[in-house]
Amino acid sequence: MTQAEWIMLCLCAVAALLHGLSGFGFPMMSTVVLSTQYPLSLAVTLVIIPCLILNLLMLMLNADSQHNLFQSIRYYLQRYWPLILSSLLGSLLGVKLLLWLNEAYLKLLLGSVIVFYVVDQLRSRPLQASPQVWSMLVFGLLAGVIGGATNAMAPFLMMYLLSCQLNKTDIVIISNLNFIVGKLIQLLILFPLLVQITPQQQAILVGITIFALAGVWIGSKIRHRLSQKHFKFLVLALLAVLGIETLWQSAALLQHSNRIFLQ
């Protein structure tokens, strides 16, 4: 591998470590890293398999010790099915948008909403939400569309889950269930791209997977020592960084082309 490729793998490992700490971040951060060398559609495709494996690992590491993994999944599916179902439908639409919509406008909207939310949470009386069916449907759909198109499902999802005042274990499990659903949709639609990757890109994929598993395992061990207050601060800090970075990327993309559609 080249030096640039090793740097990409190391940055993906850092993204996995942050994912283990906060429950989110690896798909978007690793996609941003890979997109510096590859087209966005290929960058999204290369992280599908690592993300699926990583999200399954997060579920196993955070499952209720008094129940097995399948009992925990069934509990969260029964309680949060509107969020998961709407994110599935949104992901289907989002992957389609990835193929024909200028990503600059999606990133502009995403970055604006993230920055607004972080600023709001810093107020003495921030916006609050409750896990009602209608709110889960709306936020799940928005998260799915953005996640399918840019691998940035996490910010919308984390904004909603934090607003619902859920504990950190619930946030990690619910978010990773949604991530799995979104990745399965991406795998279904982008499978033709996945089977066409070169041997060198296959090596990159294997490397990303190994680095991701190591990073998320270390991160999850550290996260159990974080208090709820510190956990929320970490998530808000990551959201702020992602929001500013997304706006910066959007501005750069619009300088090259302000067309709404790719074709």
Side-chain angles (χ1 to χ4, degrees):
M1 291 186 185
T2 64
Q3 183 179 9
E5 289 169 341
W6 279 112
I7 293 175
M8 284 196 306
L9 290 179
C10 291
L11 291 175
C12 287
V14 173
L17 178 66
L18 294 174
H19 190 111
L21 283 169
S22 64
F24 80 101
F26 176 77
M28 181 174 180
M29 294 179 192
S30 57
T31 300
V32 171
V33 171
L34 292 172
S35 64
T36 62
Q37 300 292 325
Y38 305 118
L40 181 61
S41 57
L42 179 57
V44 169
T45 301
L46 286 175
V47 299
I48 292 176
I49 300 299
C51 283
L52 278 173
I53 298 174
L54 184 148
N55 296 142
L56 288 171
L57 178 62
M58 290 293 292
L59 286 179
M60 290 187 288
L61 290 173
N62 293 280
D64 188 348
S65 59
Q66 298 180 352
H67 302 88
N68 61 43
L69 177 61
F70 295 104
Q71 289 175 329
S72 296
I73 291 176
R74 184 174 63 180
Y75 166 78
Y76 285 100
L77 287 176
Q78 290 176 341
R79 188 166 183 179
Y80 298 98
W81 67 265
L83 185 68
I84 297 171
L85 177 61
S86 59
S87 69
L88 185 153
L89 298 175
S91 296
L92 182 61
L93 176 59
V95 179
K96 295 293 185 181
L97 292 177
L98 172 65
L99 301 176
W100 59 270
L101 188 66
N102 187 341
E103 63 184 277
Y105 290 98
L106 286 173
K107 289 187 174 182
L108 177 62
L109 175 62
L110 174 63
S112 300
V113 173
I114 294 173
V115 171
F116 170 80
Y117 174 78
V118 172
V119 172
D120 177 75
Q121 287 295 304
L122 295 176
R123 297 190 304 139
S124 58
R125 299 183 61 182
L127 176 69
Q128 299 294 325
S130 59
Q132 298 177 345
V133 172
W134 70 268
S135 62
M136 285 191 279
L137 289 173
V138 171
F139 275 88
L141 184 65
L142 289 173
V145 170
I146 297 298
T150 65
N151 261 353
M153 176 185 286
F156 269 104
L157 202 56
M158 298 304 289
M159 286 189 290
Y160 175 71
L161 295 176
L162 284 174
S163 296
C164 291
Q165 301 296 302
L166 300 177
N167 64 58
K168 59 183 180 180
T169 299
D170 286 345
I171 289 175
V172 171
I173 293 178
I174 296 168
S175 60
N176 278 276
L177 282 174
N178 280 272
F179 297 155
I180 289 173
V181 167
K183 291 303 157 194
L184 289 175
I185 293 297
Q186 285 184 330
L187 180 61
L188 179 65
I189 298 178
L190 298 176
F191 187 75
L193 284 177
L194 184 62
V195 297
Q196 293 177 6
I197 62 176
T198 65
Q200 183 178 7
Q201 292 165 352
Q202 292 174 8
I204 294 292
L205 191 155
V206 173
I208 292 172
T209 303
I210 295 173
F211 277 57
L213 290 174
V216 77
W217 183 80
I218 296 172
S220 65
K221 294 300 182 181
I222 300 174
R223 180 175 53 80
H224 289 301
R225 301 180 181 180
L226 291 176
S227 66
Q228 185 75 16
K229 179 181 178 180
H230 290 154
F231 174 78
K232 183 174 182 178
F233 176 80
L234 174 64
V235 172
L236 287 176
L238 288 175
L239 284 174
V241 172
L242 290 175
I244 295 172
E245 173 65 19
T246 302
L247 289 175
W248 181 267
Q249 290 182 5
S250 173
L253 289 170
L254 287 172
Q255 286 181 350
H256 291 86
S257 173
N258 57 8
R259 294 168 54 188
I260 298 178
F261 303 102
L262 297 177
Q263 297 180 351

